[in-house]
Amino acid sequence: MSVAVAVTVLFWVSVATLAIGLARRARLWRTGREADVEWAGLLAVPKRYFVDLHHVVARDPYIANTHIATAGGAFAALVLVAINYGLGLYAPVLDWAILLAAGVMLTGVYFVWMRRRHPPLRLSGGAWNRLPYTLAAFALGLALLTLVPSQTLSAGIAIAALALLLAGSAELALGIGAGGPMKHAVAGLLHLAFHPRPERFAGVRSTALSPLKLSNHDFGTRKPSDFLWTELLSFDACVECGKCEQSCPAFAAGQPLNPKKLIQDLVAGLSGSNDSAYAGRPYPGIPIGSHHGELSAAIVPKLIEAETVWSCTTCRACVEECPMLIEHVDAIVGMRRSLNLTQGEVPGTAPETLSNLRETETQGGHARAARYNWAVDLDVPIIEPGKPADLLLVAGEGAFDMRYQRTLRALVKLLKAARVDFAVLGERERDTGDTARRLGDEATFQSFAKRNIETFASLDFKRIVTSDPHVLHSLRNEYPALGGKYTVIHHTALLAELAEQGKLQLGKSPEARALTYHDPCYLGRYNGETEAPRALLRKLGIEVREMQRSGLRGRCCGGGGGAPLTDIPGKQRIPDIRMADARDVGADVIAVACPQCTAMLEGVAGAHAEVLDIAELAAASLEARP
Amino acid sequence: MSNAFTVAALISAGRHPVSGAPRACRGDAVAMALGRRMAGDGLRVVHAGAAEEPSLQDYLALGAGTIEALPLDSSGDAVATLAAHLKNVDIILTGSNAESGAGSGLLPYALARALARPVAGNVLDARVQKTAGEGWDVEIRQFLPKGQRRRIGCALPLVIAVHPRAPVQLKYAYARRLSGRIERFPETPTDTCVAQPVWTVETASRRPIRLKARETKSGHARMQAAVVAEAKGGIVAFEGSTVDKAQVMLNYLREHRLVDF
Ligand code: SF4
Ligand code: SF4
């Protein structure tokens, strides 16, 4: 039998092995719940791969180029082998093309190998470490076969080349079906086709959680098979690059959460194995090897500990960084929902906050009538049915916080200076249910949304303005799914707009100290609004010293997702880390735009940069007007 | 879990002190959680009043399972209805006082009297254990001020009024609210008329004002009294009949002008 025929046989055996393996893997994915999928997504894969995925990968040019060479070379080589050997053409020209592709691939693999010699801590080892060798074997085998003319091919070289090819094909064909590292290629491409949030590929910052159908007794994710099948598929796409781990504030603070490990645990749950094959950094404080998952067994605590699930601030930094576009926060909130709704298992002071919400419609157990106490001397109009206003100001829960009331008073002062027609909700205002939702209490969230939508329907206003990005996010992005559609604007955007239109005459800020701006996650990452606050600061004549992590990639203050309530202990506090970021750029003032950030950063112990809301800075400039 | 003894927890319509919203009365929810720990699934949860009472939904979410709702007759006498319904139950748990209605905290005492059994108040924990014979008794940990606790043993049957700070965790789960049931009982004719309270009902002021003797001690003495149990001064009336003891109390109140008769 000639070598060429042997390659043909090997090719078809590999294809068959891959098909069987994939079918088995697909059967696991399909144990998940039915999802609405667009089959047209398959056609969109090239665009989604080259544009959306590469947009993330390109942040690390080294690995982007490496991957283009390796994957591009491998893909080209495989297609060419399929044509030339699979179909039995055995054309010498195609052999040259295969050689070229194998050469490109080999170059890429060399750089993979280089990185893996001194890998960053975020990368997983284990099976991933053998990848440069198996891939190199594949490329070398192809190169040998095509380089040496078959007439001069000695038996020894032919066997060596075939052996190399066999090793490489095993990684690709066997490995994918058996859940090896190369499964990321197939799962990744399918994930791009059937992504649970396809809007992301249309340039929408899709960040709203999807509502549970409580009446169908849908109470979240208790076991791996409660995920959508497209979500199970997405977990298999993970390349264990650790970009998520590197950006996770809870991980940095030493809390028992590591988004990469979380996704790998869910893969272990999917394939019914334990976590001992995982070769990355653990959840801080939780050793590897003692957890085990089953497709239809409860995830918490056998596979993932409850503290892990409750450490997340829902900041979405992991999602922002993930090159495979995996949705960690959806997975985490899904598990929280099950714990909360079916067992009432919520740690820390969160149960108290949730019962306050149910019983008083405020988080702190306050009287609703007290929400606008801070405005008692400001003569702020209160909206009423039949009394229209252009803007409805929703103060949010920060209204009960004495520190934050200063910000709200500054905002009112600015709105008055700009002669805006606005009114507040007064006693009609209740919490939006945002915190309840992040804590998995979907029932409370939905009942709040329903009541708030009724309240808003009885009132006459054009836009809602709020200084709380969490209020903004729930009203703007999450209420629409429940029937409430409003134009919601953040106070920084409104002030920037008013200043732009000349309605608000800002002076030059008297603030002479070095200032940095902290992006709230729910304004930046959740809503893509990073420019208006900076524009406003520029208008005030303030130059922003950007922290290393800012804008869409800003670091969380630790205040989101109910994390200050569940209060899972770590080695450090997240706001301390953020304050250190500000110190690193020599900032004496840290400008904020959110009540949670204000409270978290103000709570940092010891001497620290002064925390001032942009509204306070802007209001102070009014006095400085000529 | 099947028990050789029976346990029931009584729950009342709670109201949030600030908003007035219907909710599970905290003290009763705590009593129910303690009962769950004692009797597991065998716990009976009983509400004297309308099955439509909205706060019952909260108890379901807190794990009541099935609530037995006993409608009250026109007299509104919960004690008689409960006594008739629970005469065969060994351990009856109640909160220390209700958040709505009279809220006097008298119910456990009145119920114990109607059923002619002892009552233990301010209970933090209770465990049922087998006695040397074939019976059961209860070991109770009781709340006393200033961090002190007392352990008492008591034979069955009895009524236990649970202290609101009993160490139990309340877990509110929406799914249980949907799966729980409220079982309506027919009105039971009550013949035993137990002490009808003679009072008029009015809206409660925020909180009962505690009568307090004006302090004349030095700061240091007050500090001592606060941290050292022995140094609190006063008289401990161990001796004499109940009337004598009452006289000691009355003298104290008169001395400090807390009563004027
Ligand atoms: S989840 Fe995404 S970011 Fe995290 S390790 Fe996997 S691929 Fe990388
Ligand atoms: S959302 Fe933020 S805190 Fe949660 S896992 Fe992702 S990076 Fe970590």
Side-chain angles (χ1 to χ4, degrees):
Chain A
M1 189 171 66
S2 84
V3 178
V5 175
V7 175
T8 303
V9 171
L10 181 58
F11 175 80
W12 285 111
V13 170
S14 301
V15 168
T17 316
L18 179 61
I20 294 169
L22 267 184
R24 284 177 44 196
R25 204 74 198 166
R27 213 167 37 236
L28 292 180
W29 299 330
R30 296 289 298 162
T31 53
R33 279 192 292 177
E34 252 344 286
D36 297 332
V37 295
E38 290 264 6
W39 292 97
L42 280 169
L43 297 177
V45 168
K47 179 257 163 190
R48 291 176 180 182
Y49 177 80
F50 285 111
V51 179
D52 301 287
L53 186 141
H54 244 274
H55 170 75
V56 184
V57 181
R59 290 175 195 163
D60 184 348
Y62 179 99
I63 209 65
N65 295 333
T66 304
H67 191 261
I68 290 174
T70 318
F75 185 74
L78 281 173
V79 171
L80 291 165
V81 169
I83 296 170
N84 204 22
Y85 292 89
L87 303 179
L89 300 183
Y90 310 125
V93 226
L94 288 178
D95 271 355
W96 286 111
I98 292 175
L99 178 62
L100 184 70
V104 173
M105 180 179 171
L106 208 52
T107 320
V109 171
Y110 171 72
F111 286 104
V112 176
W113 178 73
M114 282 287 282
R115 166 155 297 199
R116 292 231 159 236
R117 277 179 41 186
H118 305 288
L121 284 174
R122 59 180 170 80
L123 284 187
S124 288
W128 289 88
N129 279 344
R130 71 167 190 248
L131 220 48
Y133 302 104
T134 50
L135 293 181
F138 181 74
L140 270 177
L142 280 183
L144 267 183
L145 280 176
T146 47
L147 193 59
V148 187
S150 46
Q151 300 83 350
T152 58
L153 198 61
S154 75
I157 296 188
I159 288 174
L162 281 176
L164 285 172
L165 211 49
L166 190 64
S169 311
E171 181 69 87
L172 295 176
L174 262 181
I176 290 180
M182 282 312 294
K183 74 175 185 298
H184 84 267
V186 177
L189 291 175
L190 290 175
H191 170 51
L192 287 181
F194 305 126
H195 197 285
R197 292 176 178 272
E199 325 72 83
R200 280 186 68 175
F201 303 112
V204 178
R205 294 199 74 79
S206 165
T207 53
L209 295 172
S210 60
L212 283 185
K213 293 205 179 59
L214 294 168
S215 50
N216 291 358
H217 287 226
D218 178 3
F219 298 134
T221 315
R222 195 181 73 86
K223 47 191 199 302
S225 60
D226 286 340
F227 282 108
L228 295 178
W229 77 263
T230 49
E231 289 180 292
L232 291 178
L233 165 66
S234 78
F235 304 147
D236 257 353
C238 172
V239 293
E240 302 194 44
C241 66
K243 291 271 165 74
C244 52
E245 163 187 313
Q246 196 179 28
S247 65
C248 176
F251 180 80
Q255 287 171 271
L257 169 62
N258 175 346
K260 175 173 90 171
K261 172 80 163 57
L262 184 103
I263 297 299
Q264 285 312 306
D265 279 351
L266 293 173
V267 171
L270 168 71
S271 41
S273 56
N274 77 3
D275 65 340
S276 53
Y278 172 75
R281 282 190 284 182
Y283 298 124
I286 301 182
I288 291 172
S290 50
H291 288 80
H292 183 271
E294 291 290 343
L295 256 178
S296 48
I299 298 175
V300 177
K302 280 249 173 59
L303 181 58
I304 297 176
E305 296 289 341
E307 304 96 82
T308 298
V309 174
W310 293 113
S311 291
C312 176
T313 69
T314 67
C315 71
R316 281 184 80 85
C318 46
V319 183
E320 185 69 28
E321 295 299 325
C322 179
M324 303 309 283
L325 314 181
I326 293 170
E327 293 283 345
H328 315 67
V329 177
D330 290 348
I332 290 172
V333 173
M335 294 185 274
R336 286 185 176 189
R337 283 172 167 176
S338 169
L339 290 174
N340 190 325
L341 296 173
T342 65
Q343 299 170 46
E345 292 280 5
V346 190
T349 55
E352 207 176 302
T353 303
L354 292 174
S355 54
N356 281 338
L357 280 172
R358 283 189 290 265
E359 291 158 13
T360 66
E361 303 183 309
T362 68
Q363 290 184 22
H366 305 285
R368 265 166 66 174
R371 190 182 298 267
Y372 285 92
N373 280 359
W374 53 270
V376 73
D377 59 334
L378 294 180
D379 191 23
V380 176
I382 294 173
I383 198 161
E384 275 178 35
K387 227 176 88 182
D390 274 353
L391 269 176
L392 179 62
L393 171 62
V394 177
E397 290 296 305
F400 296 109
D401 177 60
M402 300 235 300
R403 161 65 185 90
Y404 198 68
Q405 290 169 357
R406 297 213 303 268
T407 301
L408 290 167
R409 290 178 66 90
L411 178 58
V412 165
K413 192 170 158 189
L414 288 159
L415 293 178
K416 292 198 157 181
R419 301 185 191 287
V420 180
D421 172 24
F422 76 103
V424 298
L425 266 171
E427 214 177 314
R428 286 197 176 78
E429 181 171 339
R430 56 173 79 73
D431 189 271
T432 56
D434 171 82
T435 304
R437 186 168 228 202
R438 302 317 126 190
L439 288 168
D441 192 346
E442 183 70 4
T444 299
F445 170 75
Q446 287 189 11
S447 104
F448 272 64
K450 201 168 137 250
R451 278 177 272 168
N452 278 325
I453 289 170
E454 265 165 35
T455 305
F456 288 137
S458 69
L459 303 170
D460 190 358
F461 57 87
K462 295 202 181 79
R463 291 195 290 178
I464 294 176
V465 60
T466 179
S467 54
D468 186 338
H470 301 264
V471 169
L472 175 90
H473 170 65
S474 51
L475 294 184
R476 179 194 277 173
N477 302 326
E478 297 193 331
Y479 274 39
L482 299 160
K485 298 198 171 60
Y486 315 104
T487 311
V488 194
I489 180 170
H490 190 245
H491 73 301
T492 54
L494 176 73
L495 295 175
E497 174 191 305
L498 291 171
E500 196 54 47
Q501 293 167 347
K503 291 193 186 135
L504 178 63
Q505 298 290 332
L506 294 170
K508 188 173 158 14
S509 169
E511 190 57 68
R513 293 172 291 176
L515 178 146
T516 188
Y517 170 63
H518 164 77
D519 287 274
C521 305
Y522 276 73
L523 188 63
R525 264 191 297 280
Y526 274 76
N527 285 285
E529 295 191 17
T530 54
E531 195 30 46
R534 289 178 171 80
L536 197 58
L537 288 169
R538 272 197 301 277
K539 267 248 152 48
L540 294 168
I542 297 175
E543 195 199 323
V544 177
R545 287 199 193 181
E546 292 291 358
M547 289 183 271
Q548 200 214 343
R549 286 179 56 177
S550 63
L552 294 179
R553 304 177 76 184
R555 195 201 296 272
C556 176
C557 72
L565 305 170
T566 55
D567 200 20
I568 304 297
K571 292 209 169 55
Q572 282 183 82
R573 292 181 68 248
I574 298 174
D576 292 355
I577 303 178
R578 191 52 169 162
M579 198 51 99
D581 287 350
R583 195 174 308 124
D584 286 345
V585 294
D588 298 318
V589 179
I590 178 162
V592 292
C594 166
Q596 294 284 347
C597 304
T598 310
M600 295 308 284
L601 294 171
E602 285 277 16
V604 170
H608 60 74
E610 192 181 349
V611 181
L612 287 175
D613 194 279
I614 296 187
E616 292 179 284
L617 289 162
S621 86
L622 291 181
E623 263 94 82
R625 275 184 300 190
Chain B
M1 182 159 49
S2 83
N3 300 307
F5 55 90
T6 47
V7 184
L10 307 190
I11 57 172
S12 63
R15 294 290 179 265
H16 190 277
V18 174
S19 67
R23 65 161 186 180
C25 166
R26 278 294 180 277
D28 292 351
V30 166
M32 187 176 86
L34 181 60
R36 185 65 74 204
R37 198 154 76 197
M38 294 168 73
D41 293 340
L43 177 75
R44 288 170 62 187
V45 180
V46 180
H47 170 65
E52 291 73 28
E53 166 57 38
S55 57
L56 296 188
Q57 299 297 322
D58 266 13
Y59 290 103
L60 291 179
L62 290 167
T66 303
I67 296 174
E68 302 168 25
L70 314 176
L72 296 182
D73 59 16
S74 49
S75 71
D77 182 6
V79 174
T81 310
L82 286 169
H85 188 73
L86 297 171
K87 52 181 179 288
N88 296 323
V89 175
D90 296 319
I91 302 170
I92 300 172
L93 296 157
T94 73
S96 284
N97 53 289
E99 285 171 354
S100 59
S104 62
L106 276 181
L107 181 115
Y109 298 92
L111 189 59
R113 185 163 86 175
L115 291 168
R117 45 170 90 172
V119 58
N122 282 335
V123 172
L124 291 170
D125 197 5
R127 278 168 215 285
V128 185
Q129 51 199 13
K130 257 209 164 80
T131 53
E134 273 311 271
W136 299 87
D137 67 6
V138 196
E139 188 185 283
I140 286 171
R141 213 156 63 91
Q142 204 178 23
F143 175 94
L144 294 179
K146 295 188 180 165
Q148 297 187 88
R149 301 290 182 262
R150 172 160 63 197
R151 202 162 54 215
I152 48 180
C154 197
L156 300 185
L158 85 162
V159 176
I160 292 176
V162 179
H163 190 274
R165 270 188 278 166
V168 291
Q169 226 188 323
L170 300 182
K171 292 179 183 164
Y172 185 102
Y174 179 75
R176 291 200 291 243
R177 181 183 164 132
L178 297 189
S179 64
R181 285 191 319 117
I182 297 175
E183 202 178 322
R184 291 154 198 269
F185 277 74
E187 222 171 86
T188 33
T190 50
D191 41 32
T192 45
C193 186
V194 205
Q196 276 293 330
V198 275
W199 51 44
T200 50
V201 177
E202 59 184 65
T203 34
S205 65
R206 295 192 113 172
R207 216 167 245 200
I209 299 157
R210 188 161 146 207
L211 297 178
K212 212 172 168 207
R214 176 119 29 92
E215 285 279 7
T216 48
K217 286 184 286 187
S218 72
H220 178 255
R222 283 207 306 275
M223 186 66 187
Q224 284 290 306
V227 295
V228 187
E230 288 78 51
K232 59 179 177 270
I235 312 153
V236 182
F238 278 130
E239 309 289 308
S241 68
T242 42
V243 178
D244 295 338
K245 289 174 183 168
Q247 192 60 49
V248 173
M249 270 193 191
L250 194 54
N251 288 347
Y252 176 87
L253 294 173
R254 283 194 177 131
E255 185 188 328
H256 292 279
R257 299 211 195 92
L258 293 172
V259 291
D260 52 357
F261 57 87

